[in-house]
Amino acid sequence: NYGREIQHVPEDAEGSLQESMIRIIKEQGDFQERNTNVKADMTEWYMHKTHTCFQWVCNKALTLAERHNPHKVDMEVYDCWGAVYREGEYTKEHDHWPCLWSFVFYVDSCDNCSPLVFPTGNNHKILPKTGNLTLFPSWVLHSVPPQKCNHERIMIAGNIRLSK
């Protein structure tokens, strides 16, 4: 376990931040056309540069990374994207090296949604829970098995690197 926190998504002027996240991610659709490890609808890479709700997640992730980093160094969010997994959709095993930390924020999920899997000796799994933010070292391999339920698993993910 590296870092996990429950984040209570505040209300903004246009309703809940969570509703804004869902709307923005769904409006983007499959911007990546499944050309990444994510075989589900995925937004563009730098959503935090144009959307305050993504920036909110990035700020929470950066704070968590600062608490768990073994050294005091200047860090910044490099990229941040959203994805919607529907039944049968998945993510291939991969890592995010050379970034320092990677994070996942669950915008919407249910008890039957696919977990985040780390292929260690015991295939450590983190079940998605709406409002949970998970931080892990970017060099760690991870994947998401095919979604078996018909609930949309909506998440925001990103990477943190040393500041330039």
Side-chain angles (χ1 to χ4, degrees):
N1 289 337
Y2 297 102
R4 291 198 309 201
E5 287 187 352
I6 297 172
Q7 298 297 323
H8 300 288
V9 183
E11 296 289 317
D12 65 9
E14 299 173 12
S16 84
L17 217 48
Q18 180 188 29
E19 290 168 358
S20 295
M21 292 171 187
I22 292 170
R23 179 183 47 76
I24 291 165
I25 292 168
K26 286 186 171 188
E27 282 175 0
Q28 273 252 330
D30 190 17
F31 188 87
Q32 302 297 336
E33 299 179 342
R34 288 172 170 65
N35 288 322
T36 72
N37 293 311
V38 177
K39 303 308 176 191
D41 286 3
M42 182 178 160
T43 68
E44 63 180 305
W45 292 106
Y46 304 100
M47 298 293 285
H48 63 299
K49 295 188 185 257
T50 54
H51 299 285
T52 56
C53 56
F54 281 76
Q55 187 61 57
W56 180 85
V57 173
C58 292
N59 291 341
K60 298 294 183 184
L62 200 50
T63 298
L64 193 57
E66 288 167 350
R67 278 205 309 264
H68 289 276
N69 208 57
H71 304 283
K72 180 143 179 57
V73 294
D74 291 329
M75 296 180 286
E76 65 184 3
V77 173
Y78 171 64
D79 54 3
C80 179
W81 62 92
V84 179
Y85 293 78
R86 295 178 181 88
E87 195 167 355
E89 297 176 333
Y90 63 97
T91 294
K92 293 179 180 180
E93 188 175 282
H94 67 287
D95 64 40
H96 294 271
W97 178 257
C99 289
L100 296 175
W101 296 101
S102 297
F103 60 89
V104 178
F105 176 74
Y106 295 104
V107 180
D108 192 25
S109 64
C110 75
D111 291 341
N112 298 315
C113 284
S114 293
L116 176 62
V117 177
F118 299 96
T120 59
N122 62 351
N123 274 339
H124 181 71
K125 297 176 183 174
I126 297 178
L127 298 174
K129 299 274 186 219
T130 300
N132 276 10
L133 174 65
T134 300
L135 176 81
F136 56 94
S138 294
W139 55 265
V140 175
L141 288 172
H142 58 284
S143 64
V144 176
Q147 176 84 339
K148 292 184 179 174
C149 70
N150 63 7
H151 188 277
E152 292 179 328
R153 178 186 186 273
I154 304 175
M155 47 74 69
I156 292 174
N159 293 299
I160 296 169
R161 67 180 182 185
L162 289 172
S163 294
K164 296 222 174 201

